[in-house]
Amino acid sequence: MNKGNIRVIQTAKDTGDRLTELESLTFSPDSAEKEMELINIYDDLEYQEIEGFGGALTEASAVTLAKLSEAKQKEIIDAYFHPEHGIGYTLCRSHIQSCDFSLGNYSYVEDEDPQLRSFNISRDQESIIPLIKQAAAAVGENFRLFSSPWSPPAWMKTNGEMNNGGKLKPEYREAWAKLFVKYIQSYAEAGIDIWAVSVQNEAKAAQIWDSCIYTAEEEKDFVRDYLGPALEEANLAHVKIMIWDHNKERVYAHAKTAFEDAAASKYIWGICFHWYSGDHFEALSAVHERFPDKHLFFSEGCQEGGVHLGSWNTGERYGHDIIGNLNNWMSSWTDWNIVLDEQGGPNHVGNYCDAPIIGDTKNDEVIFESSFYYIGHFSKYIRPGAKRIGSSKYTDKLETTAFRNTDGTIAVIVMNRTDNLMPFTLNCQGQVAETTIPAHAIQTLLFS
Protein backbone atom coordinates (compact mmCIF):
# COMPACT_ATOMS: atom_id res chain seq x y z
CA MET A 1 0.00 0.00 0.00
CA ASN A 2 1.20 3.49 -0.86
CA LYS A 3 1.38 5.27 2.49
CA GLY A 4 0.65 8.69 0.99
CA ASN A 5 -2.34 10.95 1.03
CA ILE A 6 -6.02 10.07 1.27
CA ARG A 7 -8.34 12.06 -0.98
CA VAL A 8 -11.60 13.00 0.73
CA ILE A 9 -14.77 13.74 -1.27
CA GLN A 10 -17.75 15.03 0.73
CA THR A 11 -21.44 15.86 0.40
CA ALA A 12 -22.99 17.34 3.54
CA LYS A 13 -26.31 18.87 4.55
CA ASP A 14 -26.40 22.59 5.41
CA THR A 15 -23.08 23.16 3.63
CA GLY A 16 -22.01 23.87 0.07
CA ASP A 17 -20.26 20.51 -0.16
CA ARG A 18 -21.60 18.51 -3.11
CA LEU A 19 -19.09 15.86 -4.19
CA THR A 20 -16.55 18.42 -3.01
CA GLU A 21 -12.90 17.48 -2.57
CA LEU A 22 -11.61 18.46 0.88
CA GLU A 23 -8.06 18.75 2.18
CA SER A 24 -6.29 15.40 2.00
CA LEU A 25 -5.60 13.21 5.00
CA THR A 26 -2.25 11.55 5.67
CA PHE A 27 -1.63 8.04 6.94
CA SER A 28 0.72 7.53 9.87
CA PRO A 29 1.87 4.37 11.66
CA ASP A 30 -0.69 2.88 14.05
CA SER A 31 -0.03 3.53 17.72
CA ALA A 32 -0.64 0.73 20.20
CA GLU A 33 -0.80 3.27 23.02
CA LYS A 34 -4.47 4.29 22.63
CA GLU A 35 -7.83 2.89 21.60
CA MET A 36 -9.27 4.38 18.44
CA GLU A 37 -12.73 4.73 16.89
CA LEU A 38 -11.77 2.63 13.93
CA ILE A 39 -13.06 1.93 10.48
CA ASN A 40 -10.92 -1.03 9.49
CA ILE A 41 -10.13 -1.97 5.89
CA TYR A 42 -9.15 -5.60 5.25
CA ASP A 43 -7.77 -5.30 1.76
CA ASP A 44 -6.73 -8.96 1.54
CA LEU A 45 -10.38 -10.06 1.65
CA GLU A 46 -12.22 -9.89 -1.69
CA TYR A 47 -15.88 -10.39 -2.46
CA GLN A 48 -18.03 -9.56 -5.53
CA GLU A 49 -16.97 -7.68 -8.66
CA ILE A 50 -18.92 -4.60 -9.72
CA GLU A 51 -20.53 -4.50 -13.17
CA GLY A 52 -21.52 -0.83 -12.98
CA PHE A 53 -23.92 1.86 -11.81
CA GLY A 54 -26.54 3.72 -13.82
CA GLY A 55 -30.15 4.74 -14.35
CA ALA A 56 -33.21 4.21 -16.52
CA LEU A 57 -33.64 5.77 -19.96
CA THR A 58 -37.43 5.95 -20.16
CA GLU A 59 -39.75 7.70 -22.57
CA ALA A 60 -40.57 10.14 -19.75
CA SER A 61 -36.89 11.00 -19.31
CA ALA A 62 -36.38 11.32 -23.07
CA VAL A 63 -39.41 13.61 -23.53
CA THR A 64 -38.45 15.76 -20.54
CA LEU A 65 -34.88 16.11 -21.77
CA ALA A 66 -36.06 17.09 -25.26
CA LYS A 67 -38.10 19.98 -23.85
CA LEU A 68 -34.98 21.61 -22.40
CA SER A 69 -32.48 23.74 -24.30
CA GLU A 70 -29.54 21.99 -25.93
CA ALA A 71 -27.21 23.44 -23.29
CA LYS A 72 -29.31 22.02 -20.45
CA GLN A 73 -29.62 18.67 -22.21
CA LYS A 74 -25.84 18.47 -22.47
CA GLU A 75 -25.50 19.46 -18.82
CA ILE A 76 -27.66 16.51 -17.75
CA ILE A 77 -26.03 13.96 -20.06
CA ASP A 78 -22.55 15.06 -18.95
CA ALA A 79 -23.58 15.08 -15.28
CA TYR A 80 -24.55 11.43 -15.46
CA PHE A 81 -22.34 9.90 -18.11
CA HIS A 82 -19.13 11.88 -18.53
CA PRO A 83 -16.38 9.77 -16.94
CA GLU A 84 -14.51 12.76 -15.50
CA HIS A 85 -16.95 15.68 -15.19
CA GLY A 86 -19.96 13.51 -14.32
CA ILE A 87 -20.71 10.67 -11.91
CA GLY A 88 -19.64 7.95 -14.32
CA TYR A 89 -22.79 5.99 -15.15
CA THR A 90 -22.09 3.03 -17.46
CA LEU A 91 -25.06 0.68 -16.98
CA CYS A 92 -28.57 1.68 -18.03
CA ARG A 93 -32.06 0.21 -18.12
CA SER A 94 -34.84 0.72 -20.63
CA HIS A 95 -38.34 -0.64 -21.14
CA ILE A 96 -39.56 -3.14 -23.73
CA GLN A 97 -42.82 -1.55 -24.98
CA SER A 98 -44.50 0.92 -22.65
CA CYS A 99 -44.21 1.40 -18.91
CA ASP A 100 -45.92 3.83 -16.52
CA PHE A 101 -43.25 6.41 -17.36
CA SER A 102 -44.37 6.45 -20.99
CA LEU A 103 -46.83 8.91 -22.48
CA GLY A 104 -49.34 6.06 -22.87
CA ASN A 105 -49.65 2.34 -23.48
CA TYR A 106 -48.01 1.09 -26.65
CA SER A 107 -46.87 -2.22 -28.07
CA TYR A 108 -44.54 -3.22 -30.89
CA VAL A 109 -47.37 -5.43 -32.22
CA GLU A 110 -50.66 -3.65 -31.54
CA ASP A 111 -53.13 -6.06 -33.18
CA GLU A 112 -53.39 -9.80 -32.75
CA ASP A 113 -50.53 -11.17 -34.82
CA PRO A 114 -48.88 -14.31 -33.35
CA GLN A 115 -46.35 -14.34 -36.20
CA LEU A 116 -45.31 -10.77 -35.23
CA ARG A 117 -45.37 -9.69 -38.88
CA SER A 118 -46.37 -6.14 -37.89
CA PHE A 119 -43.57 -5.78 -35.30
CA ASN A 120 -41.94 -2.35 -35.28
CA ILE A 121 -40.08 -0.11 -32.83
CA SER A 122 -41.08 3.19 -34.46
CA ARG A 123 -42.35 4.59 -31.14
CA ASP A 124 -38.96 3.97 -29.50
CA GLN A 125 -37.20 5.64 -32.42
CA GLU A 126 -38.97 8.92 -31.66
CA SER A 127 -37.32 9.64 -28.32
CA ILE A 128 -35.94 6.64 -26.37
CA ILE A 129 -33.42 5.43 -28.94
CA PRO A 130 -31.94 8.93 -29.48
CA LEU A 131 -31.51 9.24 -25.69
CA ILE A 132 -29.85 5.82 -25.44
CA LYS A 133 -27.46 6.81 -28.22
CA GLN A 134 -26.61 10.07 -26.43
CA ALA A 135 -25.81 8.17 -23.25
CA ALA A 136 -23.80 5.51 -25.08
CA ALA A 137 -21.75 8.15 -26.91
CA ALA A 138 -20.95 9.89 -23.62
CA VAL A 139 -19.89 6.66 -21.91
CA GLY A 140 -17.97 5.01 -24.74
CA GLU A 141 -17.17 1.32 -25.03
CA ASN A 142 -18.10 0.50 -21.41
CA PHE A 143 -21.80 1.34 -21.99
CA ARG A 144 -24.25 -1.47 -21.19
CA LEU A 145 -28.03 -1.55 -21.61
CA PHE A 146 -30.50 -3.96 -20.12
CA SER A 147 -34.23 -3.95 -20.84
CA SER A 148 -37.39 -5.05 -19.06
CA PRO A 149 -40.99 -5.49 -20.20
CA TRP A 150 -43.82 -4.09 -18.09
CA SER A 151 -46.46 -5.96 -20.08
CA PRO A 152 -46.90 -8.11 -23.17
CA PRO A 153 -49.24 -6.73 -25.85
CA ALA A 154 -52.85 -6.56 -24.66
CA TRP A 155 -53.95 -9.33 -27.04
CA MET A 156 -51.49 -11.78 -25.45
CA LYS A 157 -52.99 -11.31 -21.98
CA THR A 158 -55.83 -12.84 -20.00
CA ASN A 159 -57.33 -9.44 -19.13
CA GLY A 160 -57.07 -8.03 -22.68
CA GLU A 161 -55.19 -4.89 -21.62
CA MET A 162 -51.63 -3.84 -20.80
CA ASN A 163 -52.59 -2.30 -17.45
CA ASN A 164 -54.03 -3.85 -14.28
CA GLY A 165 -52.04 -7.07 -14.13
CA GLY A 166 -53.45 -10.07 -15.92
CA LYS A 167 -51.31 -12.95 -17.13
CA LEU A 168 -49.63 -14.05 -20.32
CA LYS A 169 -51.92 -16.50 -22.09
CA PRO A 170 -50.22 -19.91 -22.37
CA GLU A 171 -50.81 -20.06 -26.12
CA TYR A 172 -48.76 -16.88 -26.60
CA ARG A 173 -45.65 -17.83 -24.61
CA GLU A 174 -43.74 -18.71 -27.77
CA ALA A 175 -44.80 -15.49 -29.53
CA TRP A 176 -43.84 -13.41 -26.47
CA ALA A 177 -40.39 -15.03 -26.36
CA LYS A 178 -39.96 -14.29 -30.07
CA LEU A 179 -40.92 -10.66 -29.42
CA PHE A 180 -37.90 -10.42 -27.08
CA VAL A 181 -35.77 -11.73 -29.95
CA LYS A 182 -37.19 -9.23 -32.43
CA TYR A 183 -36.66 -6.41 -29.93
CA ILE A 184 -32.98 -7.31 -29.46
CA GLN A 185 -32.45 -7.72 -33.20
CA SER A 186 -34.22 -4.44 -34.05
CA TYR A 187 -32.19 -2.51 -31.51
CA ALA A 188 -29.01 -4.05 -32.91
CA GLU A 189 -30.05 -2.84 -36.37
CA ALA A 190 -30.53 0.61 -34.84
CA GLY A 191 -26.96 0.47 -33.50
CA ILE A 192 -27.73 -0.48 -29.88
CA ASP A 193 -26.62 -3.76 -28.30
CA ILE A 194 -28.83 -5.18 -25.54
CA TRP A 195 -26.58 -6.57 -22.79
CA ALA A 196 -29.32 -8.20 -20.71
CA VAL A 197 -33.07 -8.57 -20.27
CA SER A 198 -35.33 -9.34 -17.35
CA VAL A 199 -38.42 -11.48 -17.81
CA GLN A 200 -40.95 -9.10 -16.26
CA ASN A 201 -40.89 -5.89 -14.24
CA GLU A 202 -42.51 -6.40 -10.81
CA ALA A 203 -43.88 -9.84 -11.54
CA LYS A 204 -46.06 -9.90 -8.40
CA ALA A 205 -47.82 -6.53 -8.78
CA ALA A 206 -51.12 -5.89 -10.59
CA GLN A 207 -50.52 -2.16 -11.06
CA ILE A 208 -52.96 0.33 -12.56
CA TRP A 209 -50.27 0.83 -15.20
CA ASP A 210 -48.52 -1.65 -17.51
CA SER A 211 -48.12 -4.90 -15.54
CA CYS A 212 -48.31 -8.68 -15.81
CA ILE A 213 -48.33 -11.37 -13.11
CA TYR A 214 -46.06 -14.42 -13.01
CA THR A 215 -45.70 -16.92 -10.21
CA ALA A 216 -42.15 -18.06 -9.54
CA GLU A 217 -42.97 -21.35 -11.30
CA GLU A 218 -44.45 -19.60 -14.33
CA GLU A 219 -41.48 -17.30 -14.73
CA LYS A 220 -39.02 -20.17 -14.40
CA ASP A 221 -40.94 -22.28 -16.91
CA PHE A 222 -41.13 -19.38 -19.40
CA VAL A 223 -37.35 -18.98 -19.29
CA ARG A 224 -36.66 -22.72 -19.47
CA ASP A 225 -39.12 -23.60 -22.23
CA TYR A 226 -39.42 -20.42 -24.30
CA LEU A 227 -37.18 -17.39 -23.68
CA GLY A 228 -33.88 -19.21 -23.15
CA PRO A 229 -34.30 -21.49 -26.18
CA ALA A 230 -35.55 -18.58 -28.35
CA LEU A 231 -32.44 -16.50 -27.62
CA GLU A 232 -30.23 -19.53 -28.16
CA GLU A 233 -31.87 -20.36 -31.50
CA ALA A 234 -31.41 -16.76 -32.68
CA ASN A 235 -27.68 -16.78 -31.74
CA LEU A 236 -28.41 -14.40 -28.87
CA ALA A 237 -27.33 -16.64 -25.99
CA HIS A 238 -24.82 -13.92 -24.98
CA VAL A 239 -27.75 -11.71 -23.88
CA LYS A 240 -28.07 -12.26 -20.15
CA ILE A 241 -31.43 -13.20 -18.63
CA MET A 242 -32.54 -12.07 -15.16
CA ILE A 243 -35.62 -13.02 -13.17
CA TRP A 244 -37.92 -11.50 -10.52
CA ASP A 245 -37.23 -7.73 -10.96
CA HIS A 246 -39.31 -6.94 -7.88
CA ASN A 247 -38.83 -6.27 -4.18
CA LYS A 248 -36.22 -7.88 -1.95
CA GLU A 249 -38.53 -9.56 0.53
CA ARG A 250 -39.24 -12.46 -1.87
CA VAL A 251 -35.94 -12.53 -3.73
CA TYR A 252 -34.76 -15.76 -2.06
CA ALA A 253 -37.94 -17.71 -2.74
CA HIS A 254 -37.91 -16.79 -6.43
CA ALA A 255 -34.19 -17.52 -6.72
CA LYS A 256 -34.69 -20.93 -5.12
CA THR A 257 -37.55 -21.85 -7.48
CA ALA A 258 -35.62 -20.88 -10.61
CA PHE A 259 -32.09 -21.92 -9.74
CA GLU A 260 -32.94 -25.35 -8.37
CA ASP A 261 -34.29 -26.25 -11.81
CA ALA A 262 -31.06 -26.97 -13.69
CA ALA A 263 -32.74 -26.74 -17.10
CA ALA A 264 -33.98 -23.23 -16.31
CA SER A 265 -30.97 -22.11 -14.30
CA LYS A 266 -28.54 -22.65 -17.17
CA TYR A 267 -30.18 -19.73 -18.99
CA ILE A 268 -30.35 -17.33 -16.01
CA TRP A 269 -27.42 -15.02 -15.22
CA GLY A 270 -28.90 -13.46 -12.12
CA ILE A 271 -31.81 -12.03 -10.20
CA CYS A 272 -32.77 -8.37 -10.03
CA PHE A 273 -34.63 -6.54 -7.31
CA HIS A 274 -36.17 -3.24 -6.13
CA TRP A 275 -36.25 -1.51 -2.74
CA TYR A 276 -39.93 -0.63 -2.19
CA SER A 277 -40.65 -3.20 0.55
CA GLY A 278 -37.76 -2.36 2.89
CA ASP A 279 -34.13 -3.29 3.48
CA HIS A 280 -34.06 -7.12 3.47
CA PHE A 281 -30.30 -6.98 2.93
CA GLU A 282 -29.84 -10.40 4.48
CA ALA A 283 -32.08 -11.89 1.76
CA LEU A 284 -29.42 -10.95 -0.79
CA SER A 285 -26.72 -12.74 1.18
CA ALA A 286 -29.03 -15.74 1.47
CA VAL A 287 -29.28 -15.90 -2.33
CA HIS A 288 -25.52 -15.57 -2.69
CA GLU A 289 -24.75 -18.21 -0.10
CA ARG A 290 -27.18 -20.67 -1.69
CA PHE A 291 -26.37 -19.80 -5.33
CA PRO A 292 -22.92 -18.17 -5.38
CA ASP A 293 -22.60 -18.23 -9.19
CA LYS A 294 -25.67 -16.00 -9.70
CA HIS A 295 -25.50 -12.21 -9.87
CA LEU A 296 -27.51 -9.82 -7.70
CA PHE A 297 -28.70 -6.75 -9.62
CA PHE A 298 -30.54 -3.74 -8.16
CA SER A 299 -32.73 -2.75 -11.11
CA GLU A 300 -34.97 -0.01 -9.73
CA GLY A 301 -35.53 2.39 -6.89
CA CYS A 302 -36.94 5.91 -6.65
CA GLN A 303 -38.55 8.30 -4.19
CA GLU A 304 -42.30 7.91 -4.66
CA GLY A 305 -44.99 10.57 -4.31
CA GLY A 306 -43.90 13.22 -6.78
CA VAL A 307 -40.97 15.62 -6.65
CA HIS A 308 -39.35 16.21 -3.24
CA LEU A 309 -37.35 19.34 -4.03
CA GLY A 310 -34.50 19.92 -1.62
CA SER A 311 -35.16 16.80 0.49
CA TRP A 312 -32.04 15.47 2.20
CA ASN A 313 -33.77 12.28 3.33
CA THR A 314 -34.00 11.15 -0.28
CA GLY A 315 -30.23 11.13 -0.68
CA GLU A 316 -29.77 9.31 2.62
CA ARG A 317 -32.33 6.71 1.56
CA TYR A 318 -30.23 6.02 -1.53
CA GLY A 319 -26.98 5.90 0.43
CA HIS A 320 -28.35 3.52 3.05
CA ASP A 321 -29.79 1.12 0.49
CA ILE A 322 -26.75 1.11 -1.78
CA ILE A 323 -24.36 0.40 1.12
CA GLY A 324 -26.59 -2.35 2.50
CA ASN A 325 -26.95 -3.99 -0.91
CA LEU A 326 -23.24 -3.76 -1.69
CA ASN A 327 -22.31 -5.32 1.64
CA ASN A 328 -24.61 -8.22 0.77
CA TRP A 329 -23.21 -9.14 -2.67
CA MET A 330 -24.99 -6.78 -5.07
CA SER A 331 -22.89 -6.42 -8.22
CA SER A 332 -24.91 -4.04 -10.41
CA TRP A 333 -27.10 -1.01 -9.67
CA THR A 334 -29.55 1.07 -11.72
CA ASP A 335 -31.70 3.93 -10.52
CA TRP A 336 -35.13 4.59 -12.04
CA ASN A 337 -35.71 7.63 -14.34
CA ILE A 338 -32.56 9.69 -14.90
CA VAL A 339 -34.60 12.88 -15.23
CA LEU A 340 -38.26 13.87 -14.76
CA ASP A 341 -40.14 17.14 -15.20
CA GLU A 342 -41.22 19.59 -12.51
CA GLN A 343 -44.28 17.43 -11.70
CA GLY A 344 -42.33 14.19 -11.46
CA GLY A 345 -43.55 12.89 -14.81
CA PRO A 346 -44.75 12.56 -17.44
CA ASN A 347 -46.57 9.40 -16.33
CA HIS A 348 -49.67 8.15 -18.12
CA VAL A 349 -51.48 7.13 -14.92
CA GLY A 350 -50.30 9.95 -12.64
CA ASN A 351 -47.78 7.82 -10.72
CA TYR A 352 -45.43 10.78 -10.25
CA CYS A 353 -42.03 10.26 -8.62
CA ASP A 354 -38.81 12.08 -7.85
CA ALA A 355 -35.58 11.71 -9.82
CA PRO A 356 -31.99 12.67 -8.98
CA ILE A 357 -32.25 15.40 -11.61
CA ILE A 358 -35.41 17.41 -12.20
CA GLY A 359 -35.73 19.22 -15.52
CA ASP A 360 -37.91 22.31 -15.03
CA THR A 361 -39.34 22.47 -18.55
CA LYS A 362 -41.21 25.73 -17.88
CA ASN A 363 -38.13 27.69 -16.84
CA ASP A 364 -35.43 25.65 -18.63
CA GLU A 365 -33.67 24.88 -15.37
CA VAL A 366 -31.81 21.82 -14.13
CA ILE A 367 -32.25 20.94 -10.44
CA PHE A 368 -29.92 18.45 -8.79
CA GLU A 369 -31.50 16.62 -5.86
CA SER A 370 -29.51 15.26 -2.90
CA SER A 371 -29.87 11.76 -4.35
CA PHE A 372 -27.73 12.70 -7.36
CA TYR A 373 -24.78 13.52 -5.13
CA TYR A 374 -25.24 10.51 -2.85
CA ILE A 375 -25.32 8.16 -5.85
CA GLY A 376 -22.22 9.88 -7.21
CA HIS A 377 -20.19 8.91 -4.15
CA PHE A 378 -20.52 5.32 -5.36
CA SER A 379 -20.82 5.47 -9.15
CA LYS A 380 -17.97 7.91 -9.72
CA TYR A 381 -15.43 6.16 -7.50
CA ILE A 382 -16.40 2.46 -7.57
CA ARG A 383 -15.74 1.65 -11.20
CA PRO A 384 -16.68 -1.40 -13.30
CA GLY A 385 -14.35 -4.25 -12.38
CA ALA A 386 -13.85 -3.04 -8.80
CA LYS A 387 -14.05 -5.69 -6.09
CA ARG A 388 -15.51 -5.27 -2.64
CA ILE A 389 -12.97 -5.74 0.14
CA GLY A 390 -13.41 -6.35 3.84
CA SER A 391 -14.27 -3.61 6.31
CA SER A 392 -15.64 -3.11 9.82
CA LYS A 393 -16.72 -0.08 11.87
CA TYR A 394 -16.86 0.82 15.53
CA THR A 395 -20.46 2.05 15.60
CA ASP A 396 -23.78 1.45 13.88
CA LYS A 397 -24.17 5.23 13.68
CA LEU A 398 -21.92 5.08 10.62
CA GLU A 399 -22.56 3.03 7.47
CA THR A 400 -19.56 1.91 5.44
CA THR A 401 -18.38 -0.17 2.52
CA ALA A 402 -15.03 -0.51 0.72
CA PHE A 403 -13.81 -1.46 -2.76
CA ARG A 404 -10.57 -1.87 -4.69
CA ASN A 405 -10.65 -0.57 -8.25
CA THR A 406 -8.77 -2.21 -11.11
CA ASP A 407 -6.10 0.54 -10.93
CA GLY A 408 -5.42 -0.39 -7.30
CA THR A 409 -7.23 2.60 -5.79
CA ILE A 410 -9.21 1.77 -2.66
CA ALA A 411 -12.53 3.61 -2.26
CA VAL A 412 -14.08 3.70 1.21
CA ILE A 413 -17.61 5.09 1.59
CA VAL A 414 -18.61 6.46 5.00
CA MET A 415 -22.13 7.78 5.65
CA ASN A 416 -23.45 9.54 8.75
CA ARG A 417 -27.25 9.83 9.02
CA THR A 418 -27.16 11.14 12.60
CA ASP A 419 -27.56 14.73 13.83
CA ASN A 420 -24.03 14.78 15.24
CA LEU A 421 -20.51 15.10 13.90
CA MET A 422 -18.89 11.69 14.18
CA PRO A 423 -15.18 10.93 14.63
CA PHE A 424 -13.46 7.94 13.05
CA THR A 425 -9.98 6.67 12.32
CA LEU A 426 -9.33 4.94 9.02
CA ASN A 427 -7.08 1.91 9.50
CA CYS A 428 -5.47 -0.13 6.74
CA GLN A 429 -2.36 -2.32 6.96
CA GLY A 430 -1.28 -0.73 10.22
CA GLN A 431 -1.57 2.81 8.87
CA VAL A 432 -4.14 5.15 10.41
CA ALA A 433 -5.69 8.55 9.71
CA GLU A 434 -7.92 10.32 12.21
CA THR A 435 -10.80 12.45 10.90
CA THR A 436 -14.49 13.32 11.31
CA ILE A 437 -17.65 13.29 9.22
CA PRO A 438 -20.34 15.98 9.68
CA ALA A 439 -23.95 15.27 10.57
CA HIS A 440 -26.04 14.08 7.59
CA ALA A 441 -23.05 13.65 5.31
CA ILE A 442 -21.39 11.10 3.07
CA GLN A 443 -17.69 10.82 2.26
CA THR A 444 -15.64 8.83 -0.20
CA LEU A 445 -12.02 8.30 0.86
CA LEU A 446 -9.56 7.30 -1.86
CA PHE A 447 -6.05 5.93 -1.45
CA SER A 448 -3.72 3.32 -2.89
Side-chain angles (χ1 to χ4, degrees), residues 95-169:
H95 45 94
I96 298 172
Q97 307 189 128
S98 60
C99 68
D100 53 326
F101 281 91
S102 299
L103 301 188
N105 295 126
Y106 70 89
S107 168
Y108 303 141
V109 184
E110 290 289 356
D111 300 317
E112 187 166 357
D113 174 14
Q115 301 305 313
L116 311 181
R117 285 181 286 258
S118 59
F119 178 95
N120 74 86
I121 57 167
S122 57
R123 175 69 171 259
D124 290 6
Q125 288 168 331
E126 294 173 20
S127 56
I128 297 173
I129 285 176
L131 173 58
I132 293 169
K133 288 185 173 181
Q134 278 184 282
V139 172
E141 63 180 2
N142 290 326
F143 181 78
R144 289 175 172 176
L145 182 70
F146 91 98
S147 301
S148 309
W150 267 242
S151 173
W155 54 269
M156 288 190 185
K157 294 177 65 186
T158 56
N159 66 347
E161 61 171 318
M162 294 185 77
N163 300 342
N164 299 303
K167 286 177 171 282
L168 176 65
K169 290 181 177 180

Side-chain angles (χ1 to χ4, degrees), residues 231-425:
L231 292 182
E232 205 166 52
E233 187 179 339
N235 294 317
L236 294 172
H238 61 277
V239 177
K240 294 168 172 56
I241 297 174
M242 290 181 281
I243 58 165
W244 185 224
D245 212 348
H246 205 169
N247 293 323
K248 280 180 272 183
E249 88 286 350
R250 287 181 174 85
V251 71
Y252 182 78
H254 280 255
K256 187 175 167 66
T257 297
F259 301 151
E260 286 185 347
D261 184 327
S265 182
K266 71 177 184 178
Y267 292 117
I268 304 170
W269 180 78
I271 187 164
C272 44
F273 53 90
H274 304 176
W275 73 8
Y276 303 109
S277 65
D279 287 350
H280 292 285
F281 299 133
E282 299 84 355
L284 303 181
S285 276
V287 173
H288 174 79
E289 288 163 16
R290 181 71 179 79
F291 308 104
D293 60 325
K294 300 301 185 182
H295 296 259
L296 289 155
F297 191 129
F298 180 90
S299 53
E300 183 188 317
C302 73
Q303 180 61 50
E304 313 92 321
V307 176
H308 296 251
L309 283 183
S311 167
W312 203 259
N313 290 338
T314 304
E316 291 188 336
R317 181 184 184 187
Y318 273 83
H320 170 73
D321 195 72
I322 294 171
I323 290 172
N325 292 337
L326 287 171
N327 286 342
N328 287 275
W329 298 93
M330 177 183 76
S331 63
S332 312
W333 186 91
T334 51
D335 188 29
W336 193 204
N337 304 275
I338 62 164
V339 59
L340 293 172
D341 67 19
E342 58 279 357
Q343 190 174 15
N347 182 292
H348 72 88
V349 293
N351 181 36
Y352 302 118
C353 294
D354 204 1
I357 296 180
I358 298 299
D360 184 340
T361 60
K362 295 178 180 176
N363 300 301
D364 195 38
E365 291 182 1
V366 176
I367 302 162
F368 292 85
E369 298 279 53
S370 63
S371 51
F372 174 84
Y373 300 103
Y374 271 72
I375 294 165
H377 277 270
F378 303 88
S379 61
K380 188 175 177 68
Y381 302 108
I382 302 172
R383 304 303 298 156
K387 289 187 177 179
R388 181 165 65 93
I389 55 176
S391 64
S392 66
K393 53 190 169 55
Y394 77 96
T395 174
D396 62 4
K397 293 179 180 178
L398 296 177
E399 298 169 68
T400 63
T401 193
F403 284 79
R404 181 191 289 106
N405 286 293
T406 56
D407 67 357
T409 302
I410 290 175
V412 181
I413 314 294
V414 181
M415 189 173 77
N416 176 12
R417 291 192 291 162
T418 77
D419 294 332
N420 303 307
L421 180 142
M422 293 289 295
F424 69 91
T425 299

Side-chain angles (χ1 to χ4, degrees), residues 1-154:
M1 187 181 78
N2 183 334
K3 300 175 177 59
N5 289 343
I6 305 164
R7 294 176 60 202
V8 181
I9 318 298
Q10 178 170 287
T11 295
K13 187 179 181 182
D14 299 327
T15 73
D17 291 346
R18 301 292 183 271
L19 288 169
T20 300
E21 186 149 4
L22 307 181
E23 185 176 344
S24 295
L25 302 174
T26 303
F27 275 121
S28 60
D30 188 11
S31 169
E33 297 174 3
K34 64 175 182 176
E35 297 290 335
M36 291 180 175
E37 294 154 320
L38 292 178
I39 291 177
N40 291 312
I41 306 303
Y42 311 116
D43 65 333
D44 57 337
L45 297 177
E46 283 193 348
Y47 303 96
Q48 78 274 25
E49 182 175 323
I50 293 299
E51 298 285 342
F53 291 83
L57 308 174
T58 61
E59 186 173 58
S61 288
V63 167
T64 298
L65 201 68
K67 289 181 179 178
L68 300 171
S69 64
E70 285 190 15
K72 298 299 184 185
Q73 291 182 42
K74 185 177 188 304
E75 181 181 353
I76 292 170
I77 293 295
D78 285 352
Y80 275 124
F81 300 106
H82 195 285
E84 283 86 35
H85 307 310
I87 60 172
Y89 275 9
T90 60
L91 179 58
C92 288
R93 186 190 194 200
S94 193
H95 45 94
I96 298 172
Q97 307 189 128
S98 60
C99 68
D100 53 326
F101 281 91
S102 299
L103 301 188
N105 295 126
Y106 70 89
S107 168
Y108 303 141
V109 184
E110 290 289 356
D111 300 317
E112 187 166 357
D113 174 14
Q115 301 305 313
L116 311 181
R117 285 181 286 258
S118 59
F119 178 95
N120 74 86
I121 57 167
S122 57
R123 175 69 171 259
D124 290 6
Q125 288 168 331
E126 294 173 20
S127 56
I128 297 173
I129 285 176
L131 173 58
I132 293 169
K133 288 185 173 181
Q134 278 184 282
V139 172
E141 63 180 2
N142 290 326
F143 181 78
R144 289 175 172 176
L145 182 70
F146 91 98
S147 301
S148 309
W150 267 242
S151 173

